[in-house]
Amino acid sequence: MRRTEDLGSSHGRRLQRGVLNDGREVFVKSGQGGGRRSEMFASEAAGLRWLGEAIAVPEVIEAGPDRLVVSWVRQEPPSAAAAERFGRALARLHGEGADGFGAPWPGFIAELPMDNAPAADWPSFYASRRVLPFLRQARLPARDVSLVERAVDRFAEVAGPAGPPARIHGDLWSGNVLWSGGSGVLVDPAAHGGHRETDLAMLDLFGLPYLDRVLGAYREEWPLAEGWRERVPLHQLHPLLVHVVLFGGGYRDALMSAVGRVLAL
């Protein structure tokens, strides 16, 4: 690498901007990881390549146990037109589908491992692979745990119409959408076969510029099932639990509010 510029760190990984000997600009994540964390960069690379079959993502240049190198994304301000293009592209990505609920690579969200083993249907996948494992890590009071478990028991009832597995990003908060080339570019995936409403609920959780334009264009490309807005809290349970595990009780109120809305469906 010809030169690098330090960009700080995130989740225990050093971040750098670099220029390769051939002049290409790249983004580099590096850091040692023991145990399952040694698989983190390979998992992200697999997800990027899979998503990249259908939507704009950085090119994976190198992926190993201690470093991930991807092409640099030149960012630009978001616009309504870019948001609409992104919404249509996201619908097409989801429509590419997956072989099942789960993925053939190990899962991670931030530095936390996730189980991507397949399940027969989405409610059981979401319960056993996403919500319950993080509930066990969240150190919530017993009453809160009981309420989350009651919500989990209702997943099959409130999940809406059954559908085939969608090809989803899996951690689609606004920071993982970079505006470039007149649309959104997806980075840092936790990609797997899942429910397409999950990505949309994650965008809603932490906000996105022109989100109404994204959702409108998405629905024109591929209409959503009736009741999708009411199911948003259901799909937010997992990311909120992740935030409780990573950052503590500051996210507890938002989590329990979502739990209450699921129990009221």
Side-chain angles (χ1 to χ4, degrees), residues 30-251:
S30 60
Q32 294 290 335
R36 281 201 59 192
R37 291 187 182 183
S38 64
E39 303 172 300
M40 187 183 305
F41 294 141
S43 173
E44 182 174 341
L48 284 171
R49 292 181 177 118
W50 189 56
L51 298 179
E53 296 173 4
I55 200 169
V57 300
E59 176 191 359
V60 176
I61 295 169
E62 177 188 335
D66 59 0
R67 187 167 78 162
L68 175 68
V69 182
V70 301
S71 58
W72 182 261
V73 177
R74 291 185 176 271
Q75 297 186 61
E76 61 196 22
S79 68
E84 290 174 1
R85 280 190 286 270
F86 174 59
R88 289 189 290 271
L90 188 61
R92 291 192 293 269
L93 168 69
H94 291 165
E96 284 293 311
D99 291 338
F101 294 103
W105 49 79
F108 291 88
I109 189 163
E111 72 268 30
L112 301 176
M114 293 193 301
D115 186 356
N116 274 344
D121 53 51
W122 182 78
S124 59
F125 175 84
Y126 192 54
S128 63
R129 309 289 191 259
R130 293 296 181 262
V131 173
L132 291 176
F134 289 89
L135 178 62
R136 290 191 284 269
Q137 300 175 56
R139 299 183 180 179
L140 290 168
R143 181 177 182 278
D144 290 353
V145 171
S146 177
L147 287 171
V148 175
E149 290 175 339
R150 282 177 54 195
V152 169
D153 288 342
R154 299 201 66 213
F155 281 0
E157 177 185 353
V158 302
R167 187 173 304 206
I168 72 170
H169 178 282
D171 187 15
L172 197 57
W173 72 288
S174 60
N176 287 341
V177 180
L178 304 184
W179 299 102
S180 181
S183 186
V185 176
L186 301 186
V187 299
D188 294 344
H192 63 280
H195 198 304
R196 63 190 181 118
E197 291 176 13
T198 296
D199 274 350
L200 304 182
M202 189 70 169
L203 288 175
D204 181 77
L205 182 60
F206 297 113
L208 182 79
Y210 302 102
L211 179 58
D212 58 334
R213 298 293 189 97
V214 173
L215 294 175
Y218 183 104
R219 294 167 66 197
E220 288 178 3
E221 186 77 22
W222 188 7
L224 291 160
E226 183 178 353
W228 69 273
R229 289 191 183 276
E230 289 72 26
R231 289 189 293 273
V232 165
L234 167 66
H235 294 271
Q236 292 178 342
L237 293 182
H238 173 238
L240 285 168
L241 275 166
V242 169
H243 278 71
V244 172
V245 172
L246 287 173
F247 305 115
Y251 287 91

